[in-house]
Amino acid sequence: MINDFIQRLILITPPVLLALTVHEYAHAWTAFRFGDATAKNLGRVTLNPLKHLDPIGTLALFLSGLFGWAKPVPINPRNFKNPAKALIWVSLAGPLSNIVLAGVFAIALRLFSTELAPLISGYPGIYKPLFVMIQVSVIINVSLAVFNMIPIPPLDGSKVLLHALPYRKALKFSRIEPYGFIILILLIMTGVIHKFISPIVFLAVGLLTGGGY
């Protein structure tokens, strides 16, 4: 039992750390490209996971495999020439980076199942752990992208929606922001989030891998 848990932890840790780190790096890098150096000055334009991890969000991703989050990237919209446009792209950057990673690992998964299989399948001590980590990487990255696009504050989807809406509707929507995290936790604890995103995640994973997960 303990050995199984340790093995699972070893296999899932690299995919989780990579997915969360790249997600936040993408936010910080995009903000910098649009003219805001706030995150860069705080050392957030980095692939060092220690700069990005949120203890609760990381634990949630470890336990669920479907939803989690990292520390929000600090942004100063006053540094953007076109704040609404920039904030939409900064918000989208994280989920998009996870979709790109999921695509890369889906290609790797197919290679492991075809061209590379005859070469390294005879070394199960290497082949099986790598194969599992690649499978997990596809699922984790798709999950992180889908989860973060839910339009509930403080998730990325809420920021995209907020800055895409007309002013009056955006103002009304912004009123739920102080309660967003509470709403999110309640939806997670009641299983609503899981029921909502699971079919989307596994449909997307199936499409990426050709059902080979």
Side-chain angles (χ1 to χ4, degrees):
M1 191 78 172
I2 295 176
N3 287 339
D4 290 342
F5 173 77
I6 293 173
Q7 288 178 0
R8 181 179 182 275
L9 195 62
I10 291 171
L11 292 174
I12 200 174
T13 295
V16 166
L17 292 181
L18 181 62
L20 288 172
T21 300
V22 169
H23 182 102
E24 296 306 321
Y25 170 84
H27 284 314
W29 181 85
T30 305
F32 179 65
R33 295 296 296 178
F34 272 95
D36 179 27
T38 304
K40 180 176 175 58
N41 292 337
L42 292 172
R44 297 294 299 274
V45 183
T46 177
L47 291 173
N48 178 0
L50 297 178
K51 292 285 188 178
H52 302 295
L53 298 185
D54 175 90
I56 297 176
T58 305
L59 182 61
L61 191 54
F62 268 108
L63 295 177
S64 69
L66 289 176
F67 44 80
W69 58 90
K71 288 191 295 186
V73 168
I75 292 168
N76 186 349
R78 288 178 294 182
N79 292 325
F80 297 135
K81 292 181 180 178
N82 185 336
K85 178 183 177 182
L87 286 166
I88 287 174
W89 280 108
V90 171
S91 300
L92 285 173
L96 287 175
S97 71
N98 291 125
I99 292 298
V100 171
L101 268 183
V104 170
F105 282 114
I107 293 170
L109 189 65
R110 294 191 183 195
L111 288 174
F112 262 68
S113 302
T114 54
E115 282 83 352
L116 294 178
L119 299 176
I120 59 175
S121 58
Y123 304 91
I126 297 174
Y127 178 80
K128 288 183 179 179
L130 280 177
F131 190 81
V132 171
M133 280 194 282
I134 292 171
Q135 284 182 312
V136 171
S137 293
V138 177
I139 297 171
I140 289 291
N141 278 284
V142 172
S143 300
L144 204 56
V146 173
F147 174 69
N148 275 278
M149 285 308 296
I150 296 173
I152 299 174
L155 299 179
D156 297 323
S158 70
K159 297 169 188 174
V160 173
L161 181 60
L162 178 66
H163 297 289
L165 286 171
Y167 177 76
R168 289 187 178 180
K169 291 183 179 179
L171 191 61
K172 289 180 180 179
F173 180 71
S174 68
R175 291 173 185 164
I176 73 167
E177 189 169 357
Y179 315 102
F181 191 73
I182 297 172
I183 294 170
L184 190 62
I185 293 299
L186 287 174
L187 291 176
I188 290 173
M189 291 178 66
T190 57
V192 173
I193 291 290
H194 190 278
K195 289 180 182 179
F196 174 73
I197 72 171
S198 291
I200 301 172
V201 168
F202 288 106
L203 174 62
V205 170
L207 290 173
L208 284 172
T209 63
Y213 68 94

